């Protein structure tokens, strides 16, 4: 297995020079009518496992079980954003990019392999500006109570507030208004973009829903497959706030009194393996030890997520959920695992509560990987019981009865995490082509 790849700073500078990007916080004020849930224990990993067990029970509805009533959440929050525009200037047309569960805004601009997986670069080359946000609650956006604050509806309200600010030119770091805002989502980010188009159809000009369908029955596959753990326990140095010393104590079960690598070398040596230190890192890369020690070598930013923020357990869970085996670079998967982000219990309890259709009248593209697990059960060409749609993504058309154009595209050889697969950029081109041929060219 190849180790995490380093990229040359020279090449990085060259890629960065072709565009104008900046990072900043966008303050938003929202009011969200949403659930008030009874809290259940989510401190330890067994508590989290129990939550997943109950969430997945066949023909039961854990959302209904925990729902005590409704509340109106009102608050001021910060949304972390990366804004980019082409060197040649802004065309007045922007793609607003919303990531899915397990990722943050960097999903759209992966720095791996000199940025050749970057969706942002493809959109810029087609003449669009881009704004990629960390969803409310995640990454460098404001965090909050995992049950009753960070829910889907609140995130949709935050996305809408950002949209309005793009339109009226009130984001001071951008200093211009956008007359055309295209909402591009991935997975839960597509659910939220769809949801926005249902509640505020006049606020979007076009929808690109990647890693999406309206089939709800496969959600338990991924919730089980993630093998969810508490985020702060899974990557204590990065997703929690543990001290290096604390983590050394935690991993003392690996006999690491003289350092992690010598400790592991001793254990593996006893098993008859003579491994170099790079071999050691590779040997632990597909285990939860990688997560436990992420940040051990270097200082990482500590997100300090509270309890109720959950993550998939390790690289094998990431592969099941997001990557079609055999069609991705192990290095980018490792990068994904060491930069992964959590999901809140409130998000899981509300992910299925979107309106059942949208009155949006503009163009809609759905693009989903052929082998997508959470939205197609691993086979997007399948037909759902009682559906007359040609395939699973095509079934989204029924939710957009008034759209001016609708297309469902299946990206071949690809899992749910489209941007991580070898052929990702060809899929990006399908998106730009759809926009250009439906009156939304930059
Ligand atoms: C589960 O219960 C919630 C809350 O009552 C409801 O909004 C949702 O539609 C239900 N889900 C299903 C699949 O019935
Ligand atoms: C959040 O901010 C920290 C500190 O600036 C940075 O290291 C990290 O990469 C940022 N993460 C995201 C998702 O923007
Ligand atoms: C722009 O929109 C935001 C969000 O709706 C609003 O708070 C702000 O007052 C508006 N600013 C102007 C100048 O219209
Ligand atoms: C680390 O997180 C724990 C649990 O949320 C909290 O009690 C503690 O104050 C935090 N420590 C620091 C240094 O922030
Ligand atoms: C730690 O350093 C080793 C050796 O340089 C490297 O191969 C590995 O990827 C690093 N691991 C982590 C978790 O940062
Ligand atoms: C499918 O259609 C049959 C016959 O019309 C009906 O009895 C059944 O309830 C439907 N199933 C679903 C899942 O809608
Ligand atoms: C990026 O480049 C590598 C080879 O350097 C290639 O294997 C990979 O498919 C490329 N990725 C994309 C998304 O084009
Ligand atoms: C790569 O993606 C493009 C666009 O979807 C598709 O036409 C092509 O067949 C794909 N190539 C492979 C090898 O799957």
């Amino acid at each position: 297995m190849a180790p995490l790849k380093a990229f040359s700073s020279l090449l990085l500078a060259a890629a960065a020079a072709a565009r104008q990007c900046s990072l900043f916080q966008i303050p938003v004020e929202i009011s969200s009518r949403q659930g008030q849930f009874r809290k259940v224990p989510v401190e330890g990993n067994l508590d989290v496992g129990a939550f997943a067990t109950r969430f997945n029970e066949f023909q039961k509805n854990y959302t209904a079980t925990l729902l005590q009533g409704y509340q109106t959440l009102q608050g001021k929050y910060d949304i972390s954003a990366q804004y980019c525009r082409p060197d040649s200037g802004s065309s007045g047309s922007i793609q607003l990019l919303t990531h899915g569960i397990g990722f943050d805004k960097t999903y759209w601009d992966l720095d791996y392999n000199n940025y050749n997986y970057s969706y942002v670069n493809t959109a810029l080359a087609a003449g669009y500006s881009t704004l990629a946000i960390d969803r409310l609650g995640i990454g460098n956006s404001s965090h909050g109570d995992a049950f009753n604050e960070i829910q889907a509806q609140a995130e949709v309200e935050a996305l809408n507030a950002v949209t309005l600010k793009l339109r009226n030119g009130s984001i001071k770091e951008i200093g211009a208004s956008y007359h055309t805002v295209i909402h591009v989502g991935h997975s839960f980010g597509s659910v939220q973009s769809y949801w926005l188009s249902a509640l505020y159809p006049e606020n979007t000009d076009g929808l690109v829903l990647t890693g999406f369908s309206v089939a709800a029955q496969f959600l338990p596959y991924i919730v089980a497959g993630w093998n969810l753990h508490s985020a702060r326990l899974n990557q204590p140095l990065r997703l929690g706030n543990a001290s290096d010393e604390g983590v050394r104590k935690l991993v003392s079960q690996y006999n690491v009194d003289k350092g992690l690598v010598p400790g592991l070398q001793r254990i593996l040596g006893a098993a008859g393996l003579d491994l170099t230190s790079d071999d050691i890192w590779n040997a632990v890369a597909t285990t939860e030890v990688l997560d436990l020690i992420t940040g051990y070598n270097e200082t990482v930013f500590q997100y300090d997520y509270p309890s109720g923020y959950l993550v998939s357990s390790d690289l094998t869970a990431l592969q099941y959920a997001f990557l079609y085996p055999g069609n991705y670079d192990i290095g980018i998967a490792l990068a994904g695992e060491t930069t992964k982000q959590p999901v809140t219990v409130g998000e899981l309890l509300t992910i299925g509560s979107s309106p059942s259709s949208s009155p949006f009248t503009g163009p809609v593209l759905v693009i989903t990987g052929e082998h997508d697990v959470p939205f197609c059960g691993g086979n997007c060409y399948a037909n759902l019981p009682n559906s007359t749609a040609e395939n699973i993504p095509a079934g989204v058309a029924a939710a957009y009865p008034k759209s001016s154009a609708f297309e469902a595209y299946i990206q071949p050889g690809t899992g749910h995490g489209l941007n991580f697969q070898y052929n990702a950029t060809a899929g990006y081109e399908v998106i730009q082509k759809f926009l250009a041929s439906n009156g939304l060219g930059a």
Side-chain angles (χ1 to χ4, degrees):
M1 180 187 301
L4 278 174
K5 280 190 190 149
F7 38 79
S8 134
S9 53
L10 196 72
L11 289 173
L12 194 65
R19 58 192 215 175
Q20 310 278 332
C21 293
S22 51
L23 283 168
F24 46 81
Q25 301 284 123
I26 302 173
V28 297
E29 208 171 334
I30 63 164
S31 172
S32 172
R33 185 86 184 135
Q34 59 185 38
Q36 180 74 41
F37 292 110
R38 175 164 66 83
K39 294 192 176 182
V40 292
V42 283
E43 292 301 318
N45 287 331
L46 288 173
D47 296 332
V48 170
F51 181 91
T53 300
R54 300 203 169 98
F55 186 85
N56 276 349
E57 281 170 345
F58 184 54
Q59 290 183 350
K60 288 197 185 172
N61 183 339
Y62 202 37
T63 303
T65 304
L66 296 184
L67 189 69
Q68 295 181 308
Y70 292 88
Q71 51 154 337
T72 299
L73 174 78
Q74 261 165 328
K76 291 184 179 177
Y77 298 95
D78 284 327
I79 299 300
S80 174
Q82 183 205 37
Y83 169 70
C84 297
R85 64 170 176 77
D87 257 358
S88 52
S90 147
S91 65
S93 206
I94 192 164
Q95 297 191 20
L96 176 42
L97 313 173
T98 305
H99 65 85
I101 290 171
F103 302 99
D104 57 37
K105 59 181 170 312
T106 61
Y107 173 79
W108 303 104
D109 192 31
L110 298 166
D111 62 13
Y112 190 73
N113 211 356
N114 194 30
Y115 288 89
N116 78 330
Y117 289 81
S118 170
Y119 179 83
V120 166
N121 283 349
T122 301
L124 292 175
Y128 300 94
S129 301
T130 58
L131 187 82
I133 60 165
D134 286 345
R135 285 190 279 101
L136 173 63
I138 305 299
N140 287 336
S141 291
S142 307
H143 299 169
D145 181 273
F147 279 89
N148 289 318
E149 199 173 6
I150 308 305
Q151 296 179 9
Q153 179 76 36
E155 295 174 46
V156 172
E157 297 297 346
L159 177 61
N160 189 48
V162 169
T163 304
L164 292 174
K165 287 190 156 197
L166 278 175
R167 288 188 179 284
N168 73 11
S170 63
I171 300 173
K172 63 176 189 307
E173 291 83 355
I174 296 180
S177 62
Y178 280 90
H179 55 70
T180 301
V181 181
I182 299 157
H183 289 85
V184 182
H186 171 239
S187 189
F188 192 32
S190 292
V191 171
Q192 294 185 15
S193 301
Y194 160 75
W195 199 318
L196 178 145
S197 79
L199 297 182
Y200 308 110
E202 66 285 3
N203 292 351
T204 183
D205 294 285
L207 272 300
V208 176
L209 309 173
T210 78
F212 182 71
S213 81
V214 290
Q217 58 265 58
F218 306 115
L219 183 61
Y221 288 31
I222 198 176
V223 171
W226 273 326
N227 186 24
L228 288 167
H229 285 177
S230 167
R232 52 183 305 107
L233 296 177
N234 181 258
Q235 286 189 355
L237 286 166
R238 182 176 162 268
L239 299 176
N241 66 358
S243 65
D244 195 45
E245 200 187 329
V247 172
R248 274 170 212 274
K249 273 189 199 149
L250 258 175
V251 295
S252 64
Q253 56 186 303
Y254 297 102
N255 210 6
V256 294
D257 48 309
K258 294 196 179 68
L260 184 63
V261 168
L264 288 169
Q265 245 151 0
R266 211 159 42 231
I267 294 167
L268 296 165
L273 297 167
D274 180 20
L275 301 177
T276 66
S277 74
D278 263 3
D279 290 338
I280 295 286
W281 290 104
N282 286 337
V284 300
T286 61
T287 73
E288 285 171 44
V289 177
L290 175 78
D291 291 281
L292 199 54
I293 61 180
T294 288
Y296 187 88
N297 281 351
E298 48 178 344
T299 306
V300 288
F301 179 72
Q302 297 197 310
Y303 287 96
D304 195 9
Y305 287 112
S307 295
Y309 275 75
L310 321 179
V311 277
S312 65
S313 56
D314 64 12
L315 184 63
T316 59
L318 178 111
Q319 175 181 265
Y320 175 73
F322 298 115
L323 301 168
Y324 189 60
N327 203 16
Y328 68 86
D329 177 342
I330 184 65
I332 200 172
L334 279 165
E337 184 60 24
T338 52
T339 60
K340 70 185 177 186
Q341 291 286 356
V343 57
T344 72
V345 283
E347 291 180 319
L348 289 175
L349 292 170
T350 57
I351 195 169
S353 305
S354 60
S356 58
S357 76
S358 166
F360 179 59
T361 55
V364 178
L365 171 68
V366 175
I367 170 167
T368 301
E370 178 183 358
H371 304 283
D372 186 296
V373 168
F375 288 89
C376 293
N379 177 14
C380 283
Y381 286 112
N383 299 112
L384 296 178
N386 290 7
S387 167
T388 55
E390 195 185 340
N391 54 54
I392 296 176
V396 178
Y400 280 110
K402 295 182 181 163
S403 62
S404 59
F406 178 89
E407 188 183 331
Y409 186 83
I410 295 178
Q411 175 66 6
T414 293
H416 183 56
L418 294 97
N419 295 14
F420 278 65
Q421 306 266 181
Y422 281 132
N423 196 23
T425 40
Y428 303 163
E429 294 300 346
V430 170
I431 295 172
Q432 314 317 313
K433 212 172 283 172
F434 173 85
L435 294 174
S437 57
N438 286 285
L440 291 174

